[in-house]
Amino acid sequence: MSGRAGSAAPAQNGGPAAAPERSPSLTQGYDLACKVMLLGDSGVGKTCFLLQFKDGAFLSGTFIATVGIDFRNKVVTVDGVKVKLQIWDTAGQERFRSVTHAYYRDAQALLLFYDITSKISFDNIRAWLTEIHEYAQKDVVIMLLGNKADVSSGRVIKMEDGESLAREYGVPFMETSAKTGMNVELAFLAIAKELKQRAVQQPDEPRFQIQEYIESQKKKSSCCSFM
Amino acid sequence: MFVHTRSYEDLMSPEDGDVVSRSPEEGRGDQGDQTSMEQISKDFSELSTQLTGMALDLEEEMRPSQEDKMDLSLQTARRDSARSEKEDEDVTMEAWRMHQKHVFVLSEAGKPVYSRYGSEEALSSTMGVMMALVSFLEAEKNAIRSIHADGYKVVFVRRSPLVLVAMARTRQSEQEITHELLYIYYQILSLLTWTQLNHIFQQKQNYDLRRLLAGSERITDNLLDLMARDPSFLMGAARCLPMTAGLRDTVSTCLQQAKAKSLVFSILLSRNQLVSLVRKKDQFLHPIDLHLLFNLISSSSSFREGEAWTPICLPKFNSSGFFHAHISYLEQDMDLCLLLVSTNREDFFTVSDCKRRFQERLRKRGVSHALQEALRTPFYSVSQVGIPDLRHFIYKSKSSGLFTSPEIEAPMSSEEEKQRLLELYQYLHSRAHNSSRPLKNIYFTGPSENLLAWVTSAFELYVCYSPLGTKAAAVSAVNKLMKWIRREEDRLFILTPQTY
């Protein structure tokens, strides 16, 4: 049985999500597999964010609504460990909620998006977090992302608003741009690092601080305005 | 393979099926059988003149509307930007009026649900008028079916809690427009299920259904565009990708072996053509449901990468529940899409594994290359039949729910000519299936082509000849054509449907 099929077991049994799964690097091409879910309102840029990370390309022009959920893999290397990210890109529309709920509990990490040019998408973050607490694992890694940071004229949500909301819920936060690529890779790498750390952590080793890590690495939108 | 059905009649619910009101225009056809050929001939020459005017209208349609986009609310701005061009279209402009066919969906409270052109908000008063018309006649214990005026047909379909309205300048019969509206209704059901749709409106009569349908406008738009150019919908049947029987059997066996408990249908398709279909024993896929699946896949490029998992209701199979469809392309640069329909929402990984197993088997059997070869020639040339005057044909086998037709070649290969040919077929089809006066044989001699239609209990055949041939030659050519189809049928159709 392949590594991926093996990881399906908890989903079928409805049991708790397993800790990031370790598997021999030789046969699978990775050391560790973990499930990451992209969440947020329709049109905040989840799919574009993923495409930027996977292919380094930005899909401009037409908006294509994701149908249901879309499943893709990407292997990243953190500190010499190959982590296979199984990424669930979800449709933001209300009618797909029931399907996405069904896959929440398998996720080890959630990237929660709003669009800095849309107040509604920001206001809905609280509702998303309530849903997450209801359906996801207790120890799930959550990261709040304010996307479309490259847009300066249409901004309606200040960076501080995002920061204070993130502080309130105790989740790491940064602004991103799927268009310029700002902080896109960092978001996934930070998640991969955190999950890798959880999987291989030695008792005496200090805990990886995802918050501090992204604070030290992230770029502010101001320094990217020339891009 | 599919459920045995007379799908056209099937689409007509009992309430619509008993009487189809005849328009004053069509009333002219009522002069008895002996004059019917003359009548067809007359109708066709009218059709030709009507069609010459079309290119102009199209140009007008293409012209972007020059309206100012400032008053878009925040919410509309956030909506599907691919539709924004349509949404921005000024509904008071002449260009908006000039569209060949408008389609509107509204709730019984008169709230807009969908409009093919222009934003629903801008059309809310128009939709109010439509609802008023429907209610006015209902108050008299009557029902409005259609209005015929000034070259337009306004067709109403009532499927509580929704009302669907089409406003068409095409030459389609009322019956065919009704058929298209029902497809739109089924499309909406495929997203929501009948049960959920009814439940919502029972809870709240003035619910704004666009909230739940957000993001699906493109799918409905695509369905309307597809119906205007793909004869599958007119025929109520699916077309198969031509390939040798041996290759198809191998692919089907691979597909059949990659099964899982929760799988109901495994479908392999290439650009709206069926490659293989495996189904659970005793479960049949209705052509309408298959068309909705085809439409879903062709309406979004987001399936090209990764694996999608989405709830979908197949309304003809069961309108009260969702299936879950796993959609993926086999290779990125290959137009081969695999659709696995499962009953279990939680079964993504199991179904995903079926895909992996299917691909593995294909590789082991070494058919990938042959499959690629078949994909390279998705259509065959009509010249293969060896009838000089034959230009094009559609042959539908009623028992299998499948049809075949060659590539449309010169002199009909331009988009306008293809459109015209489809309209000619639509016309023949509507004459043959007119519920008050069905015809079995139709032969028509026109200025640019001769046409023949032949409808029996087993098949339907529509043939287009060059205008130079004779009726006798056309009839004898039909025999030759039928022999050719019989000889090629294992390449053109799926003869041995597989079950798990």
Side-chain angles (χ1 to χ4, degrees):
Chain A
M1 196 184 240
S2 80
R4 194 207 286 166
S7 65
Q12 286 163 338
N13 305 335
E21 174 199 345
R22 300 188 68 179
S23 70
S25 168
L26 275 172
T27 53
Q28 302 292 332
Y30 59 91
D31 308 304
L32 195 69
C34 50
K35 298 194 185 81
V36 182
M37 230 172 152
L38 311 190
L39 299 174
D41 278 11
S42 168
V44 296
K46 298 181 291 294
T47 303
C48 287
F49 191 88
L50 178 56
L51 284 180
Q52 175 65 258
F53 173 62
K54 256 205 107 222
D55 310 326
F58 179 68
L59 211 68
S60 62
T62 53
F63 168 68
I64 299 164
T66 304
V67 179
I69 43 187
D70 200 5
F71 180 83
R72 300 172 200 218
N73 290 315
K74 176 151 176 159
V75 178
V76 294
T77 310
V78 283
D79 312 325
V81 178
K82 282 195 177 134
V83 182
K84 180 166 101 172
L85 297 173
Q86 305 184 326
I87 305 163
W88 293 96
D89 180 18
T90 66
Q93 283 92 15
E94 201 178 316
R95 68 169 182 281
F96 293 116
R97 292 291 149 81
S98 64
V99 226
T100 45
H101 286 167
Y103 287 87
Y104 269 43
R105 63 160 183 268
D106 295 332
Q108 282 123 14
L110 302 170
L111 295 183
L112 179 56
F113 290 81
Y114 68 89
D115 167 3
I116 64 148
T117 69
S118 156
K119 187 162 186 319
I120 301 169
S121 75
F122 182 72
D123 292 343
N124 281 338
I125 289 293
R126 285 177 192 278
W128 279 107
L129 285 162
T130 312
E131 263 188 22
I132 289 168
H133 287 132
E134 187 173 340
Y135 295 100
Q137 287 295 302
K138 282 207 170 55
D139 62 345
V140 69
V141 181
I142 303 167
M143 192 182 287
L144 182 65
L145 301 173
N147 195 29
K148 305 194 189 176
D150 56 283
V151 185
S152 48
S153 56
R155 177 190 281 272
V156 292
I157 304 299
K158 291 194 290 264
M159 174 140 43
E160 297 82 66
D161 298 338
E163 278 168 352
S164 72
L165 183 69
R167 216 173 302 126
E168 188 185 329
Y169 285 89
V171 297
F173 164 77
M174 59 186 165
E175 288 198 344
T176 60
S177 166
K179 190 170 179 178
T180 66
M182 181 183 91
N183 292 338
V184 171
E185 196 160 309
L186 175 61
F188 286 104
L189 286 182
I191 294 256
K193 257 180 184 298
E194 166 79 16
L195 294 171
K196 183 219 87 182
Q197 212 80 15
R198 285 188 186 188
V200 301
Q201 197 180 20
Q202 307 296 323
D204 52 341
E205 206 177 320
R207 208 177 138 74
F208 173 68
Q209 294 297 328
I210 188 169
Q211 182 95 43
E212 283 167 22
Y213 177 72
I214 70 163
E215 282 306 324
S216 69
Q217 302 285 318
K218 78 181 176 189
K219 292 190 174 69
K220 300 275 158 95
S221 51
S222 53
C223 61
C224 289
S225 54
F226 306 107
M227 290 176 81
Chain B
M1 140 158 308
F2 305 115
V3 63
H4 291 233
T5 173
R6 296 158 71 204
S7 62
Y8 198 85
E9 287 75 5
D10 187 52
L11 268 168
M12 304 297 159
S13 75
E15 49 167 323
D16 292 341
D18 48 2
V19 203
V20 169
S21 68
R22 213 121 12 96
S23 69
E25 249 183 297
E26 284 171 3
R28 286 181 286 119
D30 265 346
Q31 288 140 14
D33 282 328
Q34 68 273 35
T35 58
S36 67
M37 278 297 180
E38 284 167 41
Q39 183 54 44
I40 293 167
S41 154
K42 188 163 158 255
D43 287 355
F44 263 97
S45 44
E46 280 173 15
L47 187 59
S48 318
T49 43
Q50 164 82 18
L51 289 167
T52 45
M54 217 170 65
L56 253 177
D57 301 343
L58 274 172
E59 247 171 65
E60 209 145 344
E61 235 178 83
M62 300 299 186
R63 218 182 298 145
S65 53
Q66 302 288 318
E67 48 106 58
D68 127 79
K69 299 169 182 171
M70 292 308 288
D71 60 343
L72 280 176
S73 69
L74 202 113
Q75 192 124 30
T76 17
R78 273 178 37 72
R79 294 185 57 186
D80 198 331
S81 67
R83 258 181 74 86
S84 63
E85 221 169 288
K86 278 179 173 176
E87 298 267 312
D88 291 350
E89 200 175 331
D90 190 338
V91 300
T92 59
M93 293 285 283
E94 196 56 24
W96 183 81
R97 289 174 205 279
M98 294 304 284
H99 286 299
Q100 281 285 307
K101 189 186 287 156
H102 282 277
V103 173
F104 309 97
V105 182
L106 44 145
S107 72
E108 280 171 338
K111 277 212 175 183
V113 172
Y114 169 82
S115 166
R116 187 181 191 185
Y117 305 108
S119 83
E120 290 87 14
E121 280 93 355
L123 290 163
S124 57
S125 59
T126 313
M127 299 215 194
V129 172
M130 292 173 189
M131 196 57 227
L133 277 170
V134 172
S135 322
F136 182 75
L137 275 122
E138 267 171 20
E140 308 278 303
K141 301 238 179 308
N142 214 328
I144 189 165
R145 290 187 198 284
S146 62
I147 303 171
H148 301 251
D150 199 20
Y152 282 86
K153 288 190 184 82
V154 187
V155 179
F156 295 80
V157 167
R158 179 75 190 271
R159 281 290 180 279
S160 186
L162 297 179
V163 177
L164 299 98
V165 184
M167 205 168 290
R169 295 197 299 145
T170 59
R171 292 278 306 192
Q172 287 170 295
S173 67
E174 179 189 332
Q175 212 173 341
E176 276 166 348
I177 297 168
T178 303
H179 175 87
E180 292 192 354
L181 283 178
L182 284 167
Y183 258 105
I184 300 302
Y185 172 69
Y186 287 130
Q187 167 56 39
I188 292 171
L189 290 189
S190 82
L191 298 165
L192 300 175
T193 73
W194 183 86
T195 313
Q196 194 189 353
L197 181 69
N198 276 276
H199 181 75
I200 289 164
F201 282 102
Q202 269 162 21
Q203 300 289 309
K204 202 172 166 213
Q205 274 195 331
N206 63 350
Y207 186 81
D208 185 354
L209 195 63
R210 289 180 308 156
R211 217 178 103 188
L212 271 185
L213 293 177
S216 72
E217 299 88 349
R218 175 194 287 267
I219 305 175
T220 312
D221 291 347
N222 192 66
L223 179 59
L224 283 164
D225 294 344
L226 215 52
M227 286 195 288
R229 61 187 158 81
D230 186 340
S232 308
F233 298 88
L234 179 68
M235 292 295 124
R239 197 197 322 236
C240 298
L241 182 76
M243 59 173 66
T244 62
L247 176 60
R248 202 189 303 277
D249 286 346
T250 309
V251 173
S252 298
T253 309
C254 293
L255 198 55
Q256 186 238 349
Q257 284 167 348
K259 61 184 169 188
K261 225 180 183 174
S262 73
L263 279 189
V264 191
F265 302 109
S266 303
I267 304 162
L268 190 65
L269 63 134
S270 171
R271 285 189 211 165
N272 293 347
Q273 297 197 83
L274 203 55
V275 176
S276 175
L277 191 153
V278 182
R279 55 179 175 79
K280 210 175 196 125
K281 234 183 183 154
D282 305 322
Q283 307 294 344
F284 297 92
L285 187 59
H286 193 285
I288 290 175
D289 288 339
L290 184 65
H291 287 154
L292 294 176
L293 290 169
F294 278 15
N295 178 57
L296 172 72
I297 288 162
S298 69
S299 65
S300 179
S301 56
S302 78
F303 302 122
R304 288 263 155 196
E305 280 184 70
E307 299 167 53
W309 183 242
T310 183
I312 183 156
C313 167
L314 300 176
K316 280 303 205 178
F317 188 92
N318 175 3
S319 63
S320 63
F322 280 119
F323 284 109
H324 285 77
H326 180 280
I327 306 167
S328 63
Y329 280 80
L330 288 192
E331 312 275 344
Q332 269 204 22
D333 48 352
M334 213 155 100
D335 249 311
L336 206 52
C337 182
L338 179 65
L339 185 72
L340 299 167
V341 182
S342 157
T343 50
N344 189 347
R345 188 175 71 186
E346 316 257 321
D347 248 7
F348 173 85
F349 288 102
T350 316
V351 175
S352 175
D353 196 49
C354 290
K355 179 206 172 177
R356 193 190 51 75
R357 275 158 42 208
F358 171 59
Q359 280 183 296
E360 221 161 70
R361 276 173 211 279
L362 277 187
R363 255 192 306 274
K364 259 187 209 152
R365 304 288 289 265
V367 289
S368 295
H369 184 73
L371 204 50
Q372 228 148 16
E373 210 47 51
L375 288 172
R376 215 163 290 146
T377 50
F379 295 101
Y380 53 94
S381 167
V382 72
S383 63
Q384 287 183 18
V385 185
I387 301 169
D389 273 341
L390 183 65
R391 281 193 179 163
H392 191 259
F393 66 89
I394 295 178
Y395 172 87
K396 175 190 170 183
S397 141
K398 282 187 175 173
S399 63
S400 66
L402 299 169
F403 78 98
T404 185
S405 70
E407 186 163 21
I408 304 178
E409 288 165 278
M412 308 189 94
S413 50
S414 70
E415 279 312 310
E416 294 87 61
E417 282 294 299
K418 276 184 187 170
Q419 187 69 40
R420 198 174 65 85
L421 179 62
L422 182 62
E423 288 188 31
L424 291 168
Y425 285 145
Q426 276 172 344
Y427 184 79
L428 288 178
H429 186 274
S430 72
R431 295 295 306 205
H433 292 272
N434 187 310
S435 51
S436 48
R437 188 178 300 285
L439 299 172
K440 281 195 164 69
N441 297 292
I442 304 172
Y443 182 75
F444 163 70
T445 312
S448 326
E449 58 272 304
N450 295 339
L451 290 124
L452 183 146
W454 185 16
V455 177
T456 73
S457 58
F459 65 86
E460 291 183 25
L461 181 65
Y462 301 87
V463 194
C464 176
Y465 299 100
S466 90
L468 303 171
T470 62
K471 186 172 168 183
V475 171
S476 77
V478 160
N479 288 323
K480 197 173 173 192
L481 175 60
M482 292 294 284
K483 273 191 195 131
W484 182 84
I485 293 169
R486 178 45 49 102
R487 207 165 54 231
E488 299 285 325
E489 69 182 353
D490 63 350
R491 194 169 65 90
L492 305 176
F493 294 98
I494 300 176
L495 295 179
T496 46
Q498 300 268 10
T499 55
Y500 298 122

